């Protein structure tokens, strides 16, 4: 109803701010690792130090499925608000620990140990954030605008990525390189920790999902948990995996790896490639609410088909053309084309999955398979691309991305239209296996 709309908007903003901060912190680690690697690891070869920080980054990535499981269980048992508050607290703890930990020269082996613990906490956090956030945004949204409101989850992820890049650009312009190596790299982590504490306070006061409240008050909702999820909703879990594999591989390929590909293969100068990436991602922010609104009008499957069919047909041509062009404007237009189709997945990533599960396992059902797909397939995207380039078979990577997107196409085929007969319409609905053919 109209008088409830401001509450929905306010709580969507609070939910998304936490997502933004968590992804800002996640990308800050990757962006500033070149500056803090020497602080946490013994003096020696810079490449070895960078490799050590990359291994720690990978450890955080592999923690995401555990975060999706544990925080998904927590959200389904204690509430979406409680889980979202816990996830941003874990992320803030990790950022604060990295910001204040003395270097290896001062405390020896404790420095990398603390770094690993901090990244474990952040991996748990970002792994659990997706399922809890997707569930919360889907449940609090008004019935006819669920696609629109839930699309802001990936909007906040993209803005977090842009914020990390912007902080780096500003700091590089204000500080000397020596200052960045000595202490400047600590500032972005401190900013992330402070922002996380502010969001933690805001999340404690946000409205709990009405679906969760009704389910808990009725006392009739069946017990959740991993065993219940796999026994009663196994087909939905497989569908989420299929949807997420192609989507997450395409996301990391076209938002992150593509900028490095412009430099390493096309020969576009690094500052120019960074500018292309920043401008394209800025426009990508506005594409997603449009795609989400279209899904409210046309249904989830047509928009998801737009992504998967477009991705299967255009990935190889786009990557091939980007690799052969030295024109920044052409590279920008090609990246924008890829992001237009990608928005068909990112805008719907939360809602199309949340609509498959009942309240008692929704956060776990969305979060765990998505985190598995992201950790395995998304995390491997860049290493696979670089390994194939090193072996002289770079174009094989384009076909690998296309094949992963084909899995999303198949998953979309077997999923019935989730917005019709959605379990979000009635909080106490039993398992909706009928949503998967």
């Amino acid at each position: 109803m109209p008088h409830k709309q401001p509450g929905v908007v306010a709580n969507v903003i609070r939910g998304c701010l936490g997502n933004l901060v968590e992804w800002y912190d996640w990308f800050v680690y990757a962006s500033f690792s070149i500056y803090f690697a020497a602080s946490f690891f013994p003096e020696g070869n810079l490449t070895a130090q960078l490799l050590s920080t990359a291994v720690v980054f990978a450890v955080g990535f592999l923690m995401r499925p555990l975060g999706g499981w544990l925080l998904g269980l927590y959200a389904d048992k204690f509430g979406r608000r409680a889980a979202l508050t816990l996830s941003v607290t874990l992320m803030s703890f990790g950022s604060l620990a990295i910001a204040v930990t003395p270097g290896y020269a001062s405390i020896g082996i404790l420095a990398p140990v603390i770094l690993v613990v901090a990244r474990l906490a952040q991996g748990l956090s970002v792994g659990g954030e997706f399922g809890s956030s997707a569930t919360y945004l889907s449940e609090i949204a008004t019935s006819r605008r669920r696609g629109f409101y839930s699309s802001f989850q990936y909007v906040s992820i993209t803005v977090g990525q842009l914020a990390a890049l912007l902080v780096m650009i500003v700091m590089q312009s204000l500080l000397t390189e020596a200052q960045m190596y000595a202490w400047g790299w600590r500032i972005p982590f401190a900013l992330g920790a402070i922002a996380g504490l502010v969001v933690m306070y805001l999340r404690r006061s946000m409205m709990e999902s009405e679906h969760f409240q009704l389910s808990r008050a009725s006392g009739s909702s069946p017990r959740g948990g991993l065993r219940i999820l796999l026994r009663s909703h196994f087909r939905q879990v497989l569908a989420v995996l299929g949807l997420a594999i192609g989507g997450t591989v395409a996301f990391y390929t076209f938002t992150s790896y593509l900028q490095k590909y412009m430099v390493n293969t096309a020969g576009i100068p690094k500052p120019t490639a960074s500018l292309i990436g920043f401008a394209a991602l800025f426009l990508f922010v506005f594409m997603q609410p449009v795609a989400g609104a279209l899904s409210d009008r046309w249904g989830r499957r047509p928009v998801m088909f737009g992504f998967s069919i477009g991705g299967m047909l255009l990935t190889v041509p786009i990557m091939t053309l980007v690799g052969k062009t030295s024109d920044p404007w052409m590279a920008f237009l090609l990246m924008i084309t890829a992001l237009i189709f990608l928005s068909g997945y990112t805008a719907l990533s939360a809602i199309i999955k949340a609509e498959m599960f009942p309240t008692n396992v929704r956060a776990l059902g969305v979060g765990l398979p998505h985190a598995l797909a992201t950790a395995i397939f998304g995390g491997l995207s860049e290493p696979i691309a670089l390994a194939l380039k090193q072996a002289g078979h770079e174009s094989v990577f384009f076909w690998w991305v296309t094949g992963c997107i084909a899995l999303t196409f198949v998953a979309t085929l077997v999923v019935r239209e989730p917005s019709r007969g959605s379990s979000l319409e009635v909080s106490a609905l039993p398992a909706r296996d009928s949503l998967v053919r």
Side-chain angles (χ1 to χ4, degrees), residues 306-366:
F307 156 69
S308 55
I309 294 172
M312 288 189 296
L313 294 176
L314 295 176
T315 293
V316 174
I318 285 174
M319 296 297 288
T320 301
L321 289 171
V322 170
K324 293 180 177 179
T325 186
S326 58
D327 182 359
W329 283 105
M330 177 59 70
F332 172 74
L333 290 174
L334 289 168
M335 186 173 182
I336 284 292
T337 302
L339 294 180
I340 288 172
F341 285 96
L342 179 61
S343 66
Y345 168 78
T346 55
L348 273 62
S349 182
I351 188 64
I352 196 171
K353 298 165 187 172
E355 286 176 323
M356 294 185 195
F357 298 96
T359 305
N360 64 312
V361 293
R362 185 172 291 130
L364 180 62
V366 173

Side-chain angles (χ1 to χ4, degrees), residues 9 31 42 93 114 146 193 219 240 309 348 366 386 389 417:
V9 173
S31 301
F93 162 79
I114 292 172
R146 288 196 181 109
V240 172
I309 294 172
L348 273 62
V366 173
L386 294 173
K389 178 178 177 61
E417 176 52 52

